[in-house]
């Protein structure tokens, strides 16, 4: 087991079957894993060895993936799952990397990204949008406006993909995505495609355990009729609020879940930690629950700052802060 990451992160950071799982050591030779994937997947599927991940995350820190794959479609994704199962290799799905802290030692096993256009379609039917997991939430919100489907405005400001938002049960402006999910189409880790009603998926605040082992492929989001001008007004309003209250610099969004007693940003603010710094990572002066990369930060800087904040919150306020950002990979 990788002991480099503080145990406090293990709840978020070490999930069975994912790249950061202790079974990573059963992965064997990454070169063999790569060769097997490259030889069995089609040429349309992107498959690379030692792919840097920092540029694939909004925080822009962290090491490389042993193997990085962009399946060209569902059959190729199923083939990837079959190979990782055969080799007992860890795997993880990368969304838009907007809620992710990749550690400096990189990620063992296979990092799978659903950015191929085949996974990113957005189609409308009545008051619903049928969205691929790779579709960007901003584009989904734009399509909802075009089709006069109201109630989805809050997703405009979430800088992620549909799949990532489902996995995290992402939210903003007091709403979270599963409130708007009619059904999801997903692939099991055995490579079988299934469907489930949104209301039958257990979700909690910023978490969907079901999608730790199953891969969201598509989701049907629903709303009600709202005139385009009104949707436009709501979008402008949430956009304005966001620009006023959140930093524009590279970050992973909110670092901590809000504890019940106080919003994490307010707590960090009250602790006087805005502007606190470790290396090139600092607590945003705009919002206390954002850690920003001032340029050239390392994951260990961000992790150091997380620990510093947690320690102060524990010591001075008796509050145990839990990371919202997902921490993956190994520290060295
Ligand atoms: N506050 C301070 N100081 C700060 C930051 C906030 O006093 O430095 C106060 C605010 O004045 C406000 C309260 O704390 O009274 C809550 O702040 P805010 O309205 O910014 O909301 P939040 O709870 O910090 C949540 C989500 C955000 C989402 C916003 C807007 C969580 C952890 N965060 O933030 O989501 O964008 O609401 O809807 O639930 C994310 O998930 O990555 C994220 C950024």
């Amino acid at each position: 087991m990788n002991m480099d990451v503080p145990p406090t992160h293990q709840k978020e950071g070490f999930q069975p079957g994912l790249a950061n799982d202790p079974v990573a050591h059963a992965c064997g030779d990454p070169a063999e894993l790569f060769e097997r994937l490259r030889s069995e997947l089609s040429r349309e599927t992107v498959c690379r060895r030692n792919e840097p991940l920092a540029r694939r995350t909004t925080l822009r820190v962290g090491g490389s993936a042993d193997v990085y794959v962009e399946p060209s479609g569902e059959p190729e994704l199923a083939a990837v799952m079959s190979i990782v199962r055969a080799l007992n290799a860890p795997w993880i799905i990368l969304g838009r990397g907007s809620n992710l802290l990749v550690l400096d030692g990189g990620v063992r096993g296979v990092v799978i990204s659903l950015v191929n256009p085949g996974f990113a379609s957005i189609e409308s039917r009545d008051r619903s949008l049928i969205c691929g997991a790779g579709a960007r939430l901003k584009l989904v919100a734009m399509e909802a406006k075009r089709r006069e489907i109201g109630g989805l405005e809050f997703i405009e400001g979430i800088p992620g993909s549909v799949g990532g938002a489902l996995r995290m049960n992402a939210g903003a402006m007091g709403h979270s995505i599963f409130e708007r999910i009619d059904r999801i189409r997903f692939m099991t880790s055995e490579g079988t495609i299934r469907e489930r009603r949104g209301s039958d998926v257990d979700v909690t605040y910023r978490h969907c355990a079901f999608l730790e082992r199953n891969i969201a492929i598509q989701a049907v989001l629903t709303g009600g009729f709202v005139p385009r001008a009104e949707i436009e007004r709501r979008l402008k309003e949430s956009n304005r609020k966001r620009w006023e209250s959140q930093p524009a610099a590279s970050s992973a969004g909110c670092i901590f879940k809000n504890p019940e007693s106080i919003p994490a940003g307010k707590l960090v603010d009250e602790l006087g930690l805005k502007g606190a710094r470790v290396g090139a990572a600092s607590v945003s002066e705009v919002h206390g629950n954002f850690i920003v990369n001032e340029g050239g930060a390392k994951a260990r800087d961000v992790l150091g700052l997380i620990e510093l904040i947690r320690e102060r919150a524990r010591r001075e306020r008796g509050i145990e802060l839990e990371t919202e950002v997902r921490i993956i990979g190994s520290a060295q």
Side-chain angles (χ1 to χ4, degrees), residues 113-325:
S113 172
L114 304 182
V115 289
N116 186 285
F119 287 106
S121 60
I122 305 172
E123 290 163 31
S124 70
R125 194 174 300 154
D126 304 321
R127 295 285 161 223
S128 297
L129 292 174
I130 305 155
C131 307
R136 291 176 56 193
L137 293 173
K138 191 171 276 301
L139 297 181
V140 175
M142 290 306 113
E143 187 62 11
K145 179 176 80 171
R146 208 165 73 84
R147 302 279 175 180
E148 303 193 297
I149 304 173
L152 297 172
E153 298 81 7
F154 70 96
I155 67 174
E156 184 269 346
I158 304 173
S161 61
V162 168
L166 292 169
R167 168 69 180 73
M168 301 305 303
N169 190 20
M173 310 296 156
H175 298 282
S176 50
I177 191 151
F178 264 92
E179 290 168 27
R180 289 285 167 210
I181 298 298
D182 180 50
R183 56 182 196 280
I184 62 168
R185 195 161 175 272
F186 61 95
M187 186 180 284
T188 67
S189 54
E190 281 75 44
T192 312
I193 298 280
R194 299 229 169 90
E195 280 201 11
R196 186 171 285 205
R197 294 188 63 79
S199 53
D200 292 338
V201 180
D202 276 340
V203 291
T204 51
Y205 167 62
R206 297 294 194 267
H207 191 65
C208 175
F210 178 74
L211 293 175
E212 279 172 9
R213 289 203 157 268
N214 299 291
I215 303 168
I217 300 289
Q218 197 180 63
V220 181
L221 286 88
T222 52
F225 170 77
V226 173
R228 196 166 301 141
E230 171 59 13
I231 295 181
E232 179 69 32
R233 193 196 62 75
R234 293 180 190 173
L235 288 175
K236 277 200 175 128
E237 176 62 10
S238 74
N239 206 279
R240 184 189 61 76
K241 272 193 195 150
R242 198 174 62 258
W243 280 109
E244 275 174 16
S245 63
Q246 298 184 1
S250 298
S251 79
C254 285
I255 287 283
F256 299 106
K257 294 181 180 177
N258 279 341
E260 268 173 31
S261 53
I262 182 173
K266 189 164 197 280
L267 172 63
V268 173
D269 199 350
E270 287 180 6
L271 289 168
L273 286 171
K274 277 182 164 177
R277 167 186 318 262
V278 173
S282 67
V283 177
S284 166
E285 296 280 4
V286 183
H287 193 299
N289 201 7
F290 284 68
I291 290 180
V292 297
N293 180 352
E294 296 176 339
K298 297 284 181 203
R300 63 173 173 273
D301 300 338
V302 178
L303 217 44
L305 208 42
I306 289 174
E307 275 314 305
L308 186 147
I309 297 167
R310 296 185 85 230
E311 168 57 23
R312 290 277 303 273
R314 192 181 299 127
R315 187 155 40 91
E316 291 176 35
R317 303 288 285 270
I319 296 173
E320 202 55 52
L321 284 172
E322 198 186 330
T323 47
E324 174 191 306
V325 69

Side-chain angles (χ1 to χ4, degrees), residues 29-41 46-50 66-69 83 87 110:
D29 181 9
E32 182 196 336
L33 175 63
F34 174 71
E35 286 311 323
R36 178 91 183 260
L37 286 159
R38 189 59 290 170
S39 64
E40 292 188 26
L41 298 171
V46 173
C47 183
R48 296 196 202 110
R49 180 93 169 83
N50 293 326
D66 278 352
V67 183
Y68 170 81
V69 178
I83 295 166
L87 295 182
V110 188

